[in-house]
Amino acid sequence: MRVLGLTGSIGMGKSTTAKLFAEAGIPVYDADATVHKVYESEAVGPIEAAFPDTTADGKVDRAKLSAKVVHDSAAMRRLEEIVHPMLRAYHQKFLDDAEKSGAPVAVIDVPLLFETCPGHDVA
């Protein structure tokens, strides 16, 4: 299976391109949607433990979390240590499922693909 990576800055057309692939029946992994998912599930406890008062109603409060990590590189690394393994697990499951389904191509929409997925074999 060939894996195509969509990456780039905000406003570069990743979402539009991903939508076109999905409409053509090609499996598409959306990293941003996965972040939202883990911020409402398995990341809540570990993030609250590492960054107290950053969750509300069983979800990560992105504004509160951002205020604690955006200008603190050590805090950002800690957040990445918590979240990135979760995201890699979802990413790998997506690729495994796409391959098992017989998809000849799969697309991964990851804004920081090369920064967060080193060594990934993508076209």
Side-chain angles (χ1 to χ4, degrees):
M1 176 179 72
R2 181 162 297 258
V3 178
L4 302 177
L6 289 177
T7 190
S9 300
I10 294 171
M12 301 210 47
K14 293 181 305 296
S15 296
T16 301
T17 303
K19 182 180 175 188
L20 293 171
F21 278 112
E23 288 172 353
I26 296 170
V28 176
Y29 172 80
D30 182 340
D32 288 338
T34 305
V35 170
H36 287 279
K37 181 177 182 172
V38 301
Y39 276 15
E40 295 178 359
S41 58
E42 66 260 41
V44 176
I47 288 175
E48 180 63 27
F51 306 100
D53 302 318
T54 58
T55 63
D57 302 321
K59 300 177 187 177
V60 172
D61 183 315
R62 294 169 69 94
K64 289 179 182 179
L65 180 60
S66 178
K68 290 199 177 196
V69 303
V70 75
H71 297 294
D72 182 339
S73 60
M76 183 62 81
R77 279 192 303 278
R78 178 68 188 122
L79 176 61
E80 291 170 347
E81 289 169 358
I82 294 167
V83 176
H84 283 183
M86 296 173 191
L87 299 178
R88 279 192 290 278
Y90 279 96
H91 180 146
Q92 189 59 55
K93 182 177 180 341
F94 164 81
L95 291 174
D96 292 346
D97 290 348
E99 190 158 29
K100 287 177 190 171
S101 77
V105 176
V107 173
I108 54 173
D109 178 357
V110 181
L112 298 173
L113 177 63
F114 297 107
E115 295 84 351
T116 60
C117 302
H120 205 326
D121 187 20
V122 296

